[in-house]
Every structure is written in C-alpha cells, then in structure tokens.
Amino acid sequence: MSALRRVKTWEISESEESEAETKRDEGVQIVAISTAEEQSSDKCTTLQSSSPTNTESSSHTSALSTPRPDGRGTPSPARKRRTKEEVEADRQTARERKEARERQRATRAQEKEERRREQQRRKEAAENLKRLRPENCLKCLTVCVDPALLQQDGSDILLDTLTAFEWRFTIESQQIPHSIAWIRDLPQGEDGSVEEEQVALVLGLNDFVEMVISVKKMLDSEGEESGTGSFLGPILECLNRDAKKVVTLLVTDSQPDYRSDAYGVHLLDEILQSKSGLENLDVQEVFVYLQLCKNITLVFLGGWQEVTNHVCAITKALSKRPFKLLTERGELPFCVDGSWASGVRVERDGSGLIQVWSRQIQQLNRVSPAVASTVTAAYPSPQLLLQVYQSLESEDARKGLLADLLVKSGGKERRVGPEISARVYRCFTAHNPQLVLD
C-alpha cells in the first residue's frame, strides 16, 4: 500500500511540476510581451515630445487606415507623374489666363480714361460756350480812345457813356490819330490780347474836306501815295500793313444842315463842293475810291451823341461776333438738331436723311416740296443722282434727266420740267461757287 501510494504521489507531483513549468513559460512570455510594449510606449512618448505634428498625423493615419500585418501604417497611394508636355500645357494655359486678365484690365483702364477725357472735353466745351456769350465777351473788350479826340467838344459824352455801362476803356495813342480801336483779351490759359479789325476814325467836316482834297491829288498823280494829307497817310499805311482792317470814317459837323434833306446827299455835295472847290464828279470819284478801293466806310453824323451811339453799336456787335461764328460753323445749316419748320432732325440710325435731302433740293428757287419729294423718290440720295449723271454721256442728257418725272400735287400731274432739271444738275455738278443757277 505504501509503495502504491508513493507511485501515485510521484505521478501527481510530476504532473504538477509539468503544469508549473508550463505556467512558468507562459509567464515568461507575458513578461517579455509587456516589456516590449513598455519599450514601444517609451519610444512613442519620445517621438511625441520631439514632433507633435508627426505624432498627430501618424495617429490620425493609423486611426483611419487599417494596420498592416507587420505593424506598419498604410502608405499613401503614389502620384502619377506628369509628362513634360502636360506641364508645359498647364503653364501655357496659366499664361493665357494671365494675359487675358491683363488685357481686360487694360481695356477697362482705357475705357475709363476715354470717359474721363470725354467728360473733360464736354466741360471745356461748356466753359468755352459760356465764355463766348455776348455778356461775357463784352467784359473782355477794351475800347481804346486816342487822346486827340478828347480835345473836341462833346467827347466827354463818349467817356461818360462807357463809364455808365461799366465797359473797360483806355486813353492811349493809336496808330491812326483821332481813331477808336478795340482790343480783346485772349481766353483763359493764354496771356496777352488781340486787336480787333474794326477801327473808327472821327473827323470833323473841315478835316474830312482836307482828306478829300488829298485823295483827289493822289488820284490825279496816278495813285502815288507819297505826300498825302495828315489823316490819309496813316490810314493808307495801316491798310497796307494789315489788309483785314476795316476802317469806318465818322464825319461829324456841329451844324448839320444837310440832314434836313431826305438822304442828305444833295446838300452834303454842295457843302463839300463849296469848301473843297471840287466838282461834284470829283467828290464822287473820291467816295468811290475810299469805299471800293480801300474799303473805308463813310458815315456822316450830327454830333458826339451819335458818335457815341455808333461806338456802342460796334462794341456790342464785336461782343456778339464769337458766338455767331461758333453757331454758323455747321457745314449743313439746313440740317439742324431740333425739329422745327426749317429743319429736320437726323437720328443716329440715319432716319431723317431723306427729309434732309428733300430740304436741300428745296433750297433752290421755285422748287416746291412736291417737286423735291418726286426727285428724292426717284433718287433717294445725292450719291445715286451723281452716279446717274456720270453714267450719261452727253451734257444735254444730264440736264434733262429729271425733266420727265411726274409730280402729283392737288390731284393734278405735271412734269418737273427742263428748267428745274438743268438747275439741279448745275447745283450738284458745278465747280464754280459763284455760278448763278438761274
């Protein structure tokens, strides 16, 4: 019994020892695994302290990706490498887009600059138009009076009138003695002034008689201007220097008996003949020479009040001159901007040109609206009419081109006629601006 018990005890103890060894081996493995985990955790802690960004990205990647069997993270897919042609195409596309943006930017800048220039041009045009108004031009005029005129009785009327009107005037020696001239200031931005063409020469009747005698002697000497009178010499010298000068000779008399006549011609001739000793034909010859050859206007006045009125009239006319020149600059005066009895408005699309063409034909004498409408209906534009004129060979065919056109007016029919047809032909084909159409 003791031996059997001893064997069983030995068998049990042997099994227990094998189990203990197995458990001991498993414990060694567990300790080794835990030691490896602690080392890996220490390394992760070290990496996290040195590069937190990499740790976060790797943890994020490891959280999103499935771990590989060997424990490493899943790598990102490899990018497809582009060819050189594709890179160059992308660069070319980027350059084209950049150039397009620059062109658009330059276009917008140019349009902005054009708008600014247009606004500036309109502003300058408005200011120029405002400056050319007669009331504003009057402020730019200066009346220059020769001091010799102040020695005549009644000359103070002129100075008092200029002062009352608040017009600018100066008293200074003039190129022609006893004369009145006008000076206009240049527009803003230009320094200086310009002398007007108008010159008014004030002479008494006795001085004028001396001038008539001097002119008669000059004409008798076959036009020699040397040795002329005291007043005629400066006048001729001024006209020779500047042919555009317009001299107005104001002849005054304290006792104008000749004004009692209807035209003041006969009594004036008698006074001039009696004081100059010349015949009537000689006096008329002098007048023709002064007015036609030298463009000197003769005006006979009764005194300084009438002289003052004449000077004021010339001053006002000079103030209105720039504005009139501006308004009369249009090439087609019958084509106006408004719609009224004497003009037709032309739109941007060209509507209204046929009416302008009809009004242009009506400018001719004895051409009715019905005749003009007939001509414009057959030839809707001047260019078409000129082309037909050029296609015809004979002059008579051109003159009679419009003669057989039927005009319907008041329920009746008639022809345009050869007279109007020839007049229209001469109007549109003649090169002489002084040609008389009728």
Side-chain angles (χ1 to χ4, degrees):
M1 288 295 293
S2 61
L4 181 62
R5 186 178 302 169
R6 227 184 271 117
V7 173
K8 290 182 178 179
T9 302
W10 178 83
E11 291 177 356
I12 293 172
S13 61
E14 190 178 22
S15 64
E16 288 176 355
E17 289 177 357
S18 63
E19 289 178 0
E21 289 178 358
T22 303
K23 289 181 180 180
R24 185 172 56 252
D25 295 336
E26 290 178 357
V28 172
Q29 293 178 358
I30 292 173
V31 170
I33 293 173
S34 61
T35 304
E37 289 179 355
E38 289 177 357
Q39 291 178 357
S40 63
S41 63
D42 292 339
K43 292 181 180 180
C44 291
T45 304
T46 305
L47 293 174
Q48 184 175 5
S49 61
S50 62
S51 178
T53 306
N54 297 334
T55 305
E56 291 177 0
S57 60
S58 61
S59 62
H60 180 70
T61 305
S62 62
L64 295 179
S65 61
T66 304
R68 299 179 65 180
D70 55 357
R72 298 179 182 178
T74 305
S76 59
R79 294 183 179 180
K80 183 180 179 181
R81 188 169 183 177
R82 297 184 301 171
T83 62
K84 186 176 180 181
E85 290 77 8
E86 293 177 350
V87 173
E88 187 64 26
D90 293 342
R91 292 178 180 177
Q92 182 65 22
T93 304
R95 284 196 296 268
E96 292 178 355
R97 291 178 180 176
K98 184 178 179 181
E99 293 176 357
R101 288 194 299 269
E102 292 179 354
R103 286 195 298 268
Q104 292 178 358
R105 191 181 300 108
T107 303
R108 289 194 295 267
Q110 184 178 2
E111 292 177 354
K112 184 178 180 180
E113 182 66 18
E114 291 178 356
R115 288 194 299 268
R116 188 189 65 79
R117 291 180 181 178
E118 181 67 18
Q119 292 177 358
Q120 183 68 18
R121 187 188 64 80
R122 291 182 179 179
K123 183 179 179 180
E124 292 178 357
E127 293 178 355
N128 187 27
L129 182 61
K130 182 179 180 181
R131 186 170 55 251
L132 294 180
R133 293 285 181 182
E135 59 273 12
N136 296 326
C137 285
L138 196 57
K139 300 177 182 179
C140 300
L141 287 174
T142 302
V143 183
C144 303
V145 183
D146 190 80
L149 293 176
L150 302 181
Q151 301 176 3
Q152 300 183 14
D153 296 336
S155 59
D156 55 339
I157 299 176
L158 175 61
L159 301 182
D160 295 340
T161 303
L162 295 178
T163 304
F165 287 157
E166 297 182 354
W167 292 352
R168 295 190 306 178
F169 67 92
T170 59
I171 300 175
E172 55 185 8
S173 299
Q174 301 298 317
Q175 183 180 358
I176 304 176
H178 295 78
S179 66
I180 300 174
W182 287 263
I183 295 178
R184 183 191 304 275
D185 295 340
L186 293 177
Q188 294 180 357
E190 301 180 10
D191 298 332
S193 58
V194 60
E195 187 176 354
E196 294 289 344
E197 301 172 355
Q198 295 290 335
V199 176
L201 177 60
V202 183
L203 293 179
L205 185 58
N206 296 329
D207 296 333
F208 178 69
V209 170
E210 294 180 2
M211 180 183 289
V212 171
I213 296 174
S214 301
V215 173
K216 179 57 181 174
K217 291 181 180 180
M218 184 185 66
L219 295 177
D220 293 340
S221 61
E222 297 181 356
E224 295 181 1
E225 298 182 359
S226 60
T228 55
S230 58
F231 294 102
L232 183 61
I235 295 176
L236 297 179
E237 183 180 355
C238 178
L239 294 177
N240 292 334
R241 184 182 300 107
D242 188 0
K244 295 182 179 180
K245 286 289 184 180
V246 179
V247 179
T248 302
L249 191 56
L250 305 179
V251 182
T252 62
D253 189 10
S254 58
Q255 296 178 355
D257 296 335
Y258 57 86
R259 292 180 62 84
S260 60
D261 187 75
Y263 299 97
V265 176
H266 300 290
L267 293 178
L268 178 61
D269 292 341
E270 294 178 1
I271 294 173
L272 292 176
Q273 292 175 21
S274 62
K275 290 189 176 183
S276 62
L278 301 176
E279 299 293 335
N280 185 20
L281 185 60
D282 298 333
V283 175
Q284 296 300 326
E285 183 182 1
V286 171
F287 286 177
V288 169
Y289 173 79
L290 293 177
Q291 296 182 17
L292 298 183
C293 297
K294 295 301 180 181
N295 197 23
I296 298 176
T297 304
L298 299 177
V299 180
F300 297 92
L301 302 175
W304 268 96
Q305 183 61 51
E306 296 185 6
V307 172
T308 301
N309 297 338
H310 192 85
V311 171
C312 293
I314 295 178
T315 305
K316 292 181 180 179
L318 291 176
S319 66
K320 298 177 181 179
R321 182 180 180 183
F323 188 77
K324 287 185 177 180
L325 291 177
L326 181 64
T327 55
E328 295 175 358
R329 192 178 298 173
E331 298 180 357
L332 300 176
F334 50 84
C335 179
V336 296
D337 190 18
S339 178
W340 54 300
S342 298
V344 178
R345 182 181 179 87
V346 178
E347 302 295 341
R348 292 186 177 181
D349 58 353
S351 59
L353 288 175
I354 188 67
Q355 288 81 6
V356 174
W357 170 221
S358 178
R359 293 294 178 88
Q360 187 177 2
I361 298 177
Q362 294 181 41
Q363 301 296 313
L364 302 176
N365 293 333
R366 299 185 301 279
V367 175
S368 62
V371 174
S373 299
T374 302
V375 175
T376 55
Y379 304 97
S381 68
Q383 187 66 27
L384 295 177
L385 181 59
L386 292 176
Q387 291 177 0
V388 176
Y389 280 144
Q390 294 174 359
S391 63
L392 298 177
E393 297 180 356
S394 63
E395 188 75 10
D396 295 338
R398 298 190 189 100
K399 290 182 179 180
L401 176 64
L402 308 176
D404 294 333
L405 295 178
L406 294 179
V407 180
K408 297 181 180 180
S409 177
K412 299 180 180 179
E413 292 185 357
R414 60 183 181 87
R415 297 191 308 161
V416 173
E419 181 182 356
I420 296 179
S421 178
R423 197 185 312 151
V424 172
Y425 168 71
R426 287 193 295 268
C427 177
F428 289 98
T429 58
H431 298 282
N432 182 14
Q434 305 297 333
L435 179 64
V436 179
L437 300 178
D438 292 341

